[in-house]
Amino acid sequence: MDYKHILKDLFFAGLKSVDPHTGVKNYIGEVLSEYKTGKYETLLTIGFGKAAYQMALAVEESLGDLLTNGLVITKYGHGGTLKNIKIEEAAHPIPDENGLKATNRMIELLKKNATEKTLVLCLISGGGSALLVAPYKGITLEEKKDVTKLLLKAGTDIEELNTVRKHISRVKGGRLAEHCYPARIISFILSDVIGDRLETIASGPTAPDETTYKHALRVLKKFNLFKKVPPSVLDLLRKGEKGIIPETLKKDNPVFKKVTNIIVGNNKKALQAIKHQAVKLGFNAQIISAELSGEAREVAKFLANLALKTQKTSPNLPLFLISGGETTVTVKGPGIGGRNTELALAFALEIAGKKGITLLSAGSDGTDGPTDAAGAIVNGDTVHKAKDLGLDPERFLENNDSYNFFKKIRGLFITGPTGTNVMDIQIIVVDSP
Protein backbone atom coordinates (compact mmCIF):
# COMPACT_ATOMS: atom_id res chain seq x y z
CA MET A 1 0.00 0.00 0.00
CA ASP A 2 1.24 3.50 -0.85
CA TYR A 3 0.91 5.56 2.34
CA LYS A 4 2.25 8.85 0.98
CA HIS A 5 -1.15 10.54 0.66
CA ILE A 6 -2.18 9.38 4.14
CA LEU A 7 1.05 10.76 5.63
CA LYS A 8 0.43 14.12 3.97
CA ASP A 9 -3.17 14.22 5.23
CA LEU A 10 -2.01 13.43 8.76
CA PHE A 11 0.65 16.15 8.59
CA PHE A 12 -1.95 18.75 7.63
CA ALA A 13 -4.29 17.51 10.37
CA GLY A 14 -1.50 18.27 12.82
CA LEU A 15 -1.03 21.76 11.40
CA LYS A 16 -4.74 22.49 11.62
CA SER A 17 -4.66 21.84 15.36
CA VAL A 18 -1.97 24.49 15.85
CA ASP A 19 -3.39 27.08 13.50
CA PRO A 20 -2.21 30.39 15.01
CA HIS A 21 -5.36 32.19 13.93
CA THR A 22 -7.51 29.78 15.94
CA GLY A 23 -5.03 29.74 18.81
CA VAL A 24 -5.21 33.51 19.24
CA LYS A 25 -9.02 33.53 18.97
CA ASN A 26 -9.19 30.96 21.77
CA TYR A 27 -7.46 33.37 24.16
CA ILE A 28 -8.43 36.81 22.85
CA GLY A 29 -11.19 37.07 25.47
CA GLU A 30 -8.53 37.57 28.14
CA VAL A 31 -7.25 40.68 26.34
CA LEU A 32 -10.75 42.03 25.81
CA SER A 33 -11.67 41.51 29.48
CA GLU A 34 -8.50 43.26 30.61
CA TYR A 35 -8.97 46.19 28.26
CA LYS A 36 -12.57 46.70 29.31
CA THR A 37 -11.59 47.19 32.96
CA GLY A 38 -11.17 50.87 32.12
CA LYS A 39 -7.51 51.00 33.14
CA TYR A 40 -6.30 51.59 29.59
CA GLU A 41 -6.62 54.27 26.95
CA THR A 42 -4.42 52.65 24.30
CA LEU A 43 -4.36 49.12 22.85
CA LEU A 44 -1.24 48.32 20.82
CA THR A 45 -0.45 45.15 18.92
CA ILE A 46 3.12 44.16 18.13
CA GLY A 47 4.39 40.84 16.84
CA PHE A 48 7.13 38.94 15.08
CA GLY A 49 7.66 35.45 13.72
CA LYS A 50 6.63 33.23 10.83
CA ALA A 51 3.06 33.02 12.16
CA ALA A 52 2.78 36.73 12.95
CA TYR A 53 0.40 37.57 10.11
CA GLN A 54 -2.16 34.88 10.96
CA MET A 55 -2.00 35.85 14.62
CA ALA A 56 -2.45 39.54 13.77
CA LEU A 57 -5.37 38.72 11.47
CA ALA A 58 -7.15 37.02 14.39
CA VAL A 59 -6.50 40.05 16.59
CA GLU A 60 -7.88 42.49 14.04
CA GLU A 61 -10.96 40.35 13.40
CA SER A 62 -11.61 40.13 17.14
CA LEU A 63 -10.68 43.61 18.39
CA GLY A 64 -11.15 45.70 15.26
CA ASP A 65 -11.51 49.41 15.98
CA LEU A 66 -10.44 49.01 19.60
CA LEU A 67 -6.87 48.81 18.28
CA THR A 68 -4.96 52.08 18.54
CA ASN A 69 -2.02 50.97 16.42
CA GLY A 70 -0.03 47.90 15.51
CA LEU A 71 3.07 46.57 13.80
CA VAL A 72 4.16 42.98 13.21
CA ILE A 73 7.15 41.53 11.36
CA THR A 74 7.03 38.25 9.47
CA LYS A 75 9.11 36.32 6.96
CA TYR A 76 9.07 37.21 3.28
CA GLY A 77 6.09 35.52 1.63
CA HIS A 78 4.28 34.89 4.93
CA GLY A 79 2.47 38.23 5.18
CA GLY A 80 -0.64 40.00 3.93
CA THR A 81 -2.52 43.29 4.39
CA LEU A 82 -4.53 44.39 7.41
CA LYS A 83 -6.49 47.54 8.21
CA ASN A 84 -5.24 48.49 11.68
CA ILE A 85 -1.99 46.53 11.97
CA LYS A 86 0.95 47.23 9.68
CA ILE A 87 2.65 44.10 8.32
CA GLU A 88 6.38 44.24 7.59
CA GLU A 89 8.35 41.42 5.94
CA ALA A 90 12.00 40.59 6.53
CA ALA A 91 14.57 37.81 6.15
CA HIS A 92 14.89 34.54 8.05
CA PRO A 93 17.04 32.81 9.31
CA ILE A 94 19.69 35.45 8.59
CA PRO A 95 18.40 38.93 9.55
CA ASP A 96 18.41 41.77 7.03
CA GLU A 97 17.99 45.55 6.75
CA ASN A 98 14.21 45.30 6.51
CA GLY A 99 14.08 43.47 9.84
CA LEU A 100 16.32 46.10 11.42
CA LYS A 101 14.23 49.02 10.13
CA ALA A 102 10.95 47.38 11.14
CA THR A 103 12.26 46.64 14.65
CA ASN A 104 13.45 50.22 15.07
CA ARG A 105 9.96 51.40 14.05
CA MET A 106 8.47 49.05 16.65
CA ILE A 107 10.73 50.46 19.35
CA GLU A 108 9.70 54.02 18.34
CA LEU A 109 6.04 53.01 18.42
CA LEU A 110 6.46 51.78 21.98
CA LYS A 111 8.48 54.80 22.99
CA LYS A 112 5.68 57.12 21.88
CA ASN A 113 2.70 55.14 23.16
CA ALA A 114 3.70 52.86 26.05
CA THR A 115 2.44 54.35 29.29
CA GLU A 116 0.71 53.00 32.39
CA LYS A 117 -2.56 53.40 30.47
CA THR A 118 -1.38 51.24 27.56
CA LEU A 119 -2.16 47.55 27.01
CA VAL A 120 0.31 45.87 24.64
CA LEU A 121 -0.69 42.63 22.96
CA CYS A 122 2.50 40.92 21.82
CA LEU A 123 2.31 38.09 19.24
CA ILE A 124 5.34 35.79 19.27
CA SER A 125 6.12 32.80 17.07
CA GLY A 126 9.12 30.86 15.79
CA GLY A 127 11.48 32.79 13.58
CA GLY A 128 11.11 35.84 15.80
CA SER A 129 14.78 35.84 16.76
CA ALA A 130 15.83 36.65 13.19
CA LEU A 131 12.90 38.92 12.35
CA LEU A 132 13.05 41.06 15.50
CA VAL A 133 16.56 42.43 15.07
CA ALA A 134 18.17 45.31 16.95
CA PRO A 135 21.89 44.76 17.57
CA TYR A 136 23.35 46.05 20.82
CA LYS A 137 25.20 49.36 20.64
CA GLY A 138 28.58 48.91 18.96
CA ILE A 139 27.53 45.93 16.84
CA THR A 140 26.46 46.31 13.22
CA LEU A 141 23.80 44.34 11.40
CA GLU A 142 26.49 42.73 9.23
CA GLU A 143 28.37 41.59 12.33
CA LYS A 144 25.19 40.13 13.80
CA LYS A 145 24.52 38.32 10.51
CA ASP A 146 28.06 36.90 10.57
CA VAL A 147 27.54 35.56 14.09
CA THR A 148 24.20 33.99 13.17
CA LYS A 149 25.71 32.28 10.11
CA LEU A 150 28.63 30.93 12.13
CA LEU A 151 26.37 29.55 14.86
CA LEU A 152 23.97 27.93 12.37
CA LYS A 153 26.79 26.36 10.36
CA ALA A 154 28.43 25.04 13.54
CA GLY A 155 25.31 23.03 14.39
CA THR A 156 24.21 24.86 17.53
CA ASP A 157 20.79 23.93 18.88
CA ILE A 158 18.13 26.62 19.27
CA GLU A 159 18.93 27.23 22.94
CA GLU A 160 22.65 27.72 22.26
CA LEU A 161 21.95 29.92 19.26
CA ASN A 162 19.53 32.12 21.17
CA THR A 163 21.79 32.37 24.22
CA VAL A 164 24.28 34.25 22.08
CA ARG A 165 21.67 36.23 20.13
CA LYS A 166 20.03 37.46 23.37
CA HIS A 167 23.26 38.94 24.62
CA ILE A 168 24.05 40.97 21.52
CA SER A 169 20.54 42.42 21.20
CA ARG A 170 18.56 45.41 22.45
CA VAL A 171 15.21 43.57 22.32
CA LYS A 172 15.81 39.95 23.30
CA GLY A 173 16.20 38.37 26.73
CA GLY A 174 13.32 40.39 28.20
CA ARG A 175 14.56 43.68 26.77
CA LEU A 176 11.48 44.21 24.59
CA ALA A 177 9.39 44.13 27.76
CA GLU A 178 11.67 46.84 29.08
CA HIS A 179 10.88 48.97 26.00
CA CYS A 180 7.16 48.45 26.74
CA TYR A 181 7.40 49.38 30.42
CA PRO A 182 5.36 50.74 32.23
CA ALA A 183 2.66 49.39 29.89
CA ARG A 184 0.81 46.14 30.63
CA ILE A 185 1.85 43.27 28.31
CA ILE A 186 -0.05 40.12 27.32
CA SER A 187 1.97 37.88 25.02
CA PHE A 188 0.40 35.13 22.91
CA ILE A 189 3.12 32.64 22.04
CA LEU A 190 3.19 29.89 19.45
CA SER A 191 6.00 27.66 20.70
CA ASP A 192 8.69 26.32 18.39
CA VAL A 193 11.09 25.06 21.04
CA ILE A 194 11.37 21.84 22.99
CA GLY A 195 9.70 22.13 26.38
CA ASP A 196 8.05 25.46 25.46
CA ARG A 197 10.79 27.38 27.29
CA LEU A 198 9.65 31.02 27.26
CA GLU A 199 13.21 32.35 27.49
CA THR A 200 14.15 30.49 24.29
CA ILE A 201 11.11 31.08 22.03
CA ALA A 202 12.15 33.96 19.73
CA SER A 203 14.95 34.55 22.28
CA GLY A 204 12.48 35.47 25.03
CA PRO A 205 11.73 39.15 24.29
CA THR A 206 9.04 39.36 27.00
CA ALA A 207 10.36 36.68 29.37
CA PRO A 208 13.03 36.60 32.08
CA ASP A 209 16.37 35.25 30.89
CA GLU A 210 18.23 32.69 32.97
CA THR A 211 21.33 32.74 30.75
CA THR A 212 24.22 35.15 31.13
CA TYR A 213 27.09 36.62 29.13
CA LYS A 214 29.21 33.82 30.58
CA HIS A 215 26.86 31.25 29.03
CA ALA A 216 27.11 32.99 25.67
CA LEU A 217 30.90 32.84 25.82
CA ARG A 218 30.72 29.14 26.66
CA VAL A 219 28.73 28.53 23.47
CA LEU A 220 31.41 30.26 21.39
CA LYS A 221 34.10 28.23 23.14
CA LYS A 222 32.23 24.94 22.65
CA PHE A 223 32.09 25.46 18.89
CA ASN A 224 35.59 26.99 18.57
CA LEU A 225 34.26 30.33 17.38
CA PHE A 226 36.37 32.77 19.42
CA LYS A 227 38.66 33.53 16.49
CA LYS A 228 35.84 33.59 13.93
CA VAL A 229 33.24 35.94 15.42
CA PRO A 230 33.67 39.70 14.87
CA PRO A 231 35.92 41.28 17.54
CA SER A 232 33.13 43.70 18.54
CA VAL A 233 30.89 40.78 19.49
CA LEU A 234 33.55 39.09 21.58
CA ASP A 235 34.39 42.42 23.23
CA LEU A 236 30.72 43.01 24.12
CA LEU A 237 30.28 39.55 25.64
CA ARG A 238 33.47 39.90 27.70
CA LYS A 239 32.40 43.33 28.98
CA GLY A 240 29.06 41.83 29.92
CA GLU A 241 30.76 38.98 31.76
CA LYS A 242 32.73 41.53 33.78
CA GLY A 243 29.58 43.50 34.62
CA ILE A 244 30.61 46.57 32.63
CA ILE A 245 27.33 46.49 30.69
CA PRO A 246 23.96 45.33 32.05
CA GLU A 247 22.74 41.76 31.83
CA THR A 248 19.60 40.62 30.10
CA LEU A 249 16.55 40.94 32.35
CA LYS A 250 16.18 38.41 35.16
CA LYS A 251 13.01 37.17 36.89
CA ASP A 252 13.25 39.61 39.80
CA ASN A 253 13.05 42.61 37.47
CA PRO A 254 9.90 44.68 38.21
CA VAL A 255 9.14 44.83 34.48
CA PHE A 256 7.77 41.28 34.63
CA LYS A 257 5.11 42.13 37.20
CA LYS A 258 3.23 43.67 34.27
CA VAL A 259 3.76 40.75 31.83
CA THR A 260 1.60 37.68 31.16
CA ASN A 261 2.93 35.07 28.69
CA ILE A 262 0.43 32.54 27.24
CA ILE A 263 1.29 29.51 25.06
CA VAL A 264 -1.42 29.21 22.37
CA GLY A 265 0.01 26.20 20.48
CA ASN A 266 2.95 23.79 20.45
CA ASN A 267 4.41 20.67 18.85
CA LYS A 268 2.85 18.30 21.36
CA LYS A 269 -0.63 19.48 20.42
CA ALA A 270 0.10 18.86 16.73
CA LEU A 271 1.34 15.33 17.41
CA GLN A 272 -1.75 14.53 19.47
CA ALA A 273 -3.95 15.70 16.59
CA ILE A 274 -2.04 13.48 14.15
CA LYS A 275 -2.50 10.47 16.41
CA HIS A 276 -6.20 11.23 16.82
CA GLN A 277 -6.67 11.47 13.05
CA ALA A 278 -4.74 8.23 12.40
CA VAL A 279 -6.92 6.37 14.91
CA LYS A 280 -10.02 7.95 13.38
CA LEU A 281 -8.93 6.47 10.03
CA GLY A 282 -8.75 3.04 11.64
CA PHE A 283 -4.98 2.78 12.19
CA ASN A 284 -2.88 2.09 15.25
CA ALA A 285 -0.77 5.09 16.25
CA GLN A 286 1.81 5.93 18.89
CA ILE A 287 3.55 9.18 19.84
CA ILE A 288 7.27 8.52 20.36
CA SER A 289 8.40 11.96 21.50
CA ALA A 290 7.79 15.68 21.07
CA GLU A 291 11.37 16.40 22.10
CA LEU A 292 13.62 14.90 19.41
CA SER A 293 16.93 16.76 19.22
CA GLY A 294 20.54 16.24 18.20
CA GLU A 295 22.21 15.76 14.82
CA ALA A 296 19.59 15.05 12.16
CA ARG A 297 21.40 12.02 10.76
CA GLU A 298 21.81 10.49 14.23
CA VAL A 299 18.11 11.00 14.97
CA ALA A 300 17.41 9.35 11.60
CA LYS A 301 19.34 6.26 12.72
CA PHE A 302 17.36 6.12 15.95
CA LEU A 303 14.03 6.40 14.12
CA ALA A 304 15.05 3.86 11.47
CA ASN A 305 16.17 1.33 14.08
CA LEU A 306 12.91 1.83 15.95
CA ALA A 307 10.89 1.31 12.77
CA LEU A 308 12.80 -1.86 11.84
CA LYS A 309 12.44 -3.25 15.35
CA THR A 310 8.73 -2.41 15.38
CA GLN A 311 8.27 -4.19 12.07
CA LYS A 312 9.78 -7.35 13.53
CA THR A 313 8.07 -7.34 16.91
CA SER A 314 4.75 -5.47 16.78
CA PRO A 315 1.54 -7.47 16.26
CA ASN A 316 -0.40 -4.25 15.54
CA LEU A 317 0.72 -3.39 12.00
CA PRO A 318 0.25 -1.07 10.24
CA LEU A 319 1.38 1.29 12.98
CA PHE A 320 2.04 5.02 12.75
CA LEU A 321 4.99 6.24 14.82
CA ILE A 322 4.70 9.99 15.43
CA SER A 323 7.40 12.33 16.68
CA GLY A 324 8.50 15.95 16.66
CA GLY A 325 11.16 18.32 17.88
CA GLU A 326 14.06 20.15 16.33
CA THR A 327 17.26 18.52 15.18
CA THR A 328 20.46 20.24 14.08
CA VAL A 329 22.83 19.92 11.14
CA THR A 330 26.55 20.54 11.36
CA VAL A 331 27.30 21.87 7.89
CA LYS A 332 30.55 20.53 6.46
CA GLY A 333 29.72 20.30 2.77
CA PRO A 334 28.86 22.85 0.07
CA GLY A 335 25.34 21.54 -0.62
CA ILE A 336 21.85 22.86 0.06
CA GLY A 337 19.38 21.36 2.50
CA GLY A 338 17.66 21.57 5.84
CA ARG A 339 17.39 19.36 8.89
CA ASN A 340 14.29 17.54 7.58
CA THR A 341 15.69 16.60 4.18
CA GLU A 342 18.97 15.61 5.83
CA LEU A 343 17.09 13.43 8.33
CA ALA A 344 15.01 11.88 5.55
CA LEU A 345 18.05 11.06 3.42
CA ALA A 346 19.89 9.49 6.35
CA PHE A 347 16.73 7.51 7.22
CA ALA A 348 16.43 6.29 3.61
CA LEU A 349 19.98 4.94 3.73
CA GLU A 350 19.23 3.06 6.96
CA ILE A 351 16.11 1.32 5.54
CA ALA A 352 17.37 0.85 1.98
CA GLY A 353 15.77 -2.23 0.43
CA LYS A 354 13.31 -2.75 3.28
CA LYS A 355 9.62 -2.96 2.40
CA GLY A 356 6.75 -1.62 4.46
CA ILE A 357 8.40 1.48 6.01
CA THR A 358 7.69 5.08 4.89
CA LEU A 359 8.73 8.35 6.56
CA LEU A 360 7.57 11.93 6.18
CA SER A 361 9.80 14.51 7.86
CA ALA A 362 8.87 18.17 7.48
CA GLY A 363 9.00 21.60 9.05
CA SER A 364 5.62 22.72 10.32
CA ASP A 365 6.20 26.19 8.84
CA GLY A 366 6.55 24.78 5.33
CA THR A 367 10.23 25.62 4.98
CA ASP A 368 13.27 23.49 5.66
CA GLY A 369 16.41 25.55 6.04
CA PRO A 370 17.13 27.89 3.10
CA THR A 371 14.90 25.93 0.70
CA ASP A 372 11.38 26.04 -0.74
CA ALA A 373 10.55 22.56 0.58
CA ALA A 374 9.03 21.57 3.92
CA GLY A 375 10.91 18.27 3.91
CA ALA A 376 10.78 14.93 2.14
CA ILE A 377 9.07 11.53 2.00
CA VAL A 378 11.14 8.33 1.77
CA ASN A 379 10.72 4.58 1.83
CA GLY A 380 12.79 1.45 1.26
CA ASP A 381 12.90 2.08 -2.50
CA THR A 382 14.30 5.63 -2.28
CA VAL A 383 17.98 4.67 -2.40
CA HIS A 384 17.41 2.10 -5.16
CA LYS A 385 15.55 4.71 -7.24
CA ALA A 386 18.40 7.18 -6.82
CA LYS A 387 21.05 4.67 -7.85
CA ASP A 388 19.04 3.79 -10.95
CA LEU A 389 19.36 7.48 -11.87
CA GLY A 390 23.13 7.32 -11.35
CA LEU A 391 23.06 9.19 -8.05
CA ASP A 392 25.15 8.44 -4.96
CA PRO A 393 22.95 9.09 -1.87
CA GLU A 394 25.86 8.83 0.56
CA ARG A 395 27.79 11.47 -1.34
CA PHE A 396 24.82 13.83 -1.23
CA LEU A 397 24.54 13.30 2.53
CA GLU A 398 28.26 13.86 3.00
CA ASN A 399 27.96 17.18 1.14
CA ASN A 400 24.87 18.29 3.10
CA ASP A 401 23.11 18.38 -0.27
CA SER A 402 19.89 16.63 0.68
CA TYR A 403 17.65 19.18 -1.03
CA ASN A 404 19.20 18.61 -4.45
CA PHE A 405 19.11 14.85 -3.90
CA PHE A 406 15.36 14.85 -3.36
CA LYS A 407 14.82 17.37 -6.11
CA LYS A 408 16.48 15.01 -8.59
CA ILE A 409 14.38 12.01 -7.54
CA ARG A 410 11.19 14.07 -7.06
CA GLY A 411 10.95 13.24 -3.39
CA LEU A 412 10.55 16.74 -1.97
CA PHE A 413 7.50 17.55 0.15
CA ILE A 414 6.49 21.11 -0.78
CA THR A 415 3.64 22.86 1.03
CA GLY A 416 4.44 26.56 0.73
CA PRO A 417 4.18 28.77 3.85
CA THR A 418 1.74 27.13 6.27
CA GLY A 419 1.15 30.14 8.51
CA THR A 420 2.18 28.25 11.64
CA ASN A 421 5.45 27.11 13.23
CA VAL A 422 5.75 24.46 15.96
CA MET A 423 9.11 22.86 15.04
CA ASP A 424 9.37 19.71 12.92
CA ILE A 425 7.14 16.67 12.53
CA GLN A 426 8.10 13.10 11.62
CA ILE A 427 5.49 10.47 10.81
CA ILE A 428 6.56 6.88 10.09
CA VAL A 429 4.18 4.20 8.95
CA VAL A 430 5.38 0.66 9.64
CA ASP A 431 3.60 -2.13 7.78
CA SER A 432 4.43 -5.79 7.29
CA PRO A 433 7.22 -6.34 4.74
Side-chain angles (χ1 to χ4, degrees):
M1 182 176 179
D2 188 348
Y3 286 99
K4 290 181 182 178
H5 289 297
I6 295 174
L7 289 172
K8 291 178 183 179
D9 289 345
L10 291 177
F11 177 79
F12 287 115
L15 295 193
K16 186 177 180 181
S17 73
V18 289
D19 173 57
H21 184 272
T22 303
V24 167
K25 289 246 177 159
N26 288 340
Y27 289 94
I28 202 72
E30 298 196 25
V31 177
L32 197 55
S33 296
E34 175 105 15
Y35 187 71
K36 287 185 174 180
T37 59
K39 298 177 184 176
Y40 309 104
E41 297 175 352
T42 303
L43 177 57
L44 295 180
T45 298
I46 58 174
F48 32 89
K50 295 177 188 176
Y53 171 71
Q54 288 295 330
M55 297 174 87
L57 176 61
V59 170
E60 188 161 287
E61 288 175 352
S62 302
L63 302 180
D65 293 336
L66 289 178
L67 295 172
T68 308
N69 209 332
L71 171 64
V72 304
I73 311 166
T74 194
K75 183 179 177 178
Y76 291 121
H78 289 237
T81 303
L82 297 176
K83 179 183 175 183
N84 297 314
I85 302 172
K86 185 170 180 55
I87 308 295
E88 298 280 4
E89 294 189 356
H92 175 278
I94 307 299
D96 70 355
E97 191 70 26
N98 276 7
L100 178 63
K101 289 178 180 178
T103 303
N104 284 336
R105 282 194 286 271
M106 187 179 291
I107 292 171
E108 283 301 310
L109 178 68
L110 293 170
K111 186 177 180 181
K112 291 177 181 178
N113 295 280
T115 70
E116 289 187 349
K117 294 188 181 239
T118 303
L119 175 59
V120 177
L121 175 55
C122 187
L123 310 172
I124 303 174
S125 59
S129 289
L131 296 164
L132 186 75
V133 52
Y136 205 87
K137 185 178 179 181
I139 296 175
T140 67
L141 175 62
E142 287 303 313
E143 288 171 333
K144 181 153 189 178
K145 287 166 69 173
D146 288 343
V147 172
T148 304
K149 289 175 185 176
L150 286 167
L151 291 166
L152 288 170
K153 190 173 182 179
T156 56
D157 63 29
I158 189 66
E159 188 165 349
E160 292 166 330
L161 174 64
N162 286 355
T163 294
V164 177
R165 290 199 285 199
K166 279 184 278 193
H167 286 89
I168 58 173
S169 171
R170 292 185 290 125
V171 288
K172 299 176 174 66
R175 286 170 170 161
L176 184 66
E178 193 171 36
H179 285 292
C180 293
Y181 192 78
R184 168 83 167 102
I185 305 171
I186 299 178
S187 290
F188 288 166
I189 303 171
L190 188 67
S191 173
D192 72 328
V193 305
I194 291 171
D196 302 334
R197 297 183 303 277
L198 294 175
E199 69 273 20
T200 303
I201 304 168
S203 297
T206 62
D209 180 30
E210 295 181 359
T211 68
T212 64
Y213 286 102
K214 184 176 290 186
H215 290 120
L217 286 166
R218 284 178 189 167
V219 172
L220 298 185
K221 182 178 181 180
K222 176 181 176 180
F223 292 95
N224 298 312
L225 296 177
F226 274 159
K227 294 181 179 180
K228 295 180 180 179
V229 298
S232 61
V233 170
L234 198 57
D235 181 58
L236 173 70
L237 296 179
R238 284 174 169 161
K239 283 181 178 178
E241 183 186 29
K242 293 175 182 176
I244 297 173
I245 54 177
E247 257 292 355
T248 49
L249 276 64
K250 308 309 176 189
K251 62 183 179 181
D252 59 349
N253 194 297
V255 164
F256 297 115
K257 291 180 180 179
K258 308 200 80 171
V259 179
T260 300
N261 292 306
I262 301 170
I263 300 288
V264 299
N266 57 17
N267 186 267
K268 186 177 181 180
K269 186 175 182 180
L271 302 190
Q272 289 170 338
I274 291 169
K275 179 182 177 180
H276 175 78
Q277 183 64 15
V279 172
K280 188 177 178 181
L281 292 172
F283 296 106
N284 296 304
Q286 175 185 339
I287 295 175
I288 303 167
S289 173
E291 299 187 354
L292 289 183
S293 63
E295 279 287 330
R297 59 184 71 185
E298 295 302 317
V299 173
K301 290 179 182 178
F302 162 74
L303 292 175
N305 288 334
L306 179 62
L308 291 167
K309 181 180 178 181
T310 299
Q311 192 177 55
K312 290 179 180 179
T313 61
S314 177
N316 299 315
L317 302 181
L319 173 64
F320 284 84
L321 301 175
I322 306 159
S323 60
E326 186 165 290
T327 60
T328 55
V329 174
T330 302
V331 180
K332 297 179 180 178
I336 300 171
R339 52 185 182 256
N340 287 286
T341 50
E342 176 130 341
L343 187 153
L345 178 50
F347 185 95
L349 285 164
E350 293 294 322
I351 64 161
K354 303 292 184 181
K355 301 293 183 182
I357 298 175
T358 307
L359 161 81
L360 180 153
S361 181
S364 59
D365 61 348
T367 54
D368 188 37
T371 77
D372 61 354
I377 300 175
V378 300
N379 58 28
D381 294 329
T382 299
V383 169
H384 179 72
K385 180 180 179 181
K387 289 183 176 179
D388 280 349
L389 293 172
L391 305 176
D392 182 353
E394 292 182 344
R395 184 67 181 271
F396 277 90
L397 184 61
E398 182 183 336
N399 288 332
N400 301 114
D401 203 17
S402 52
Y403 173 81
N404 284 320
F405 172 82
F406 286 112
K407 188 174 182 179
K408 289 177 183 296
I409 68 166
R410 297 183 179 179
L412 291 170
F413 178 45
I414 298 178
T415 65
T418 64
T420 192
N421 185 20
V422 291
M423 300 190 288
D424 301 332
I425 294 170
Q426 291 82 34
I427 314 171
I428 306 168
V429 58
V430 181
D431 205 347
S432 61

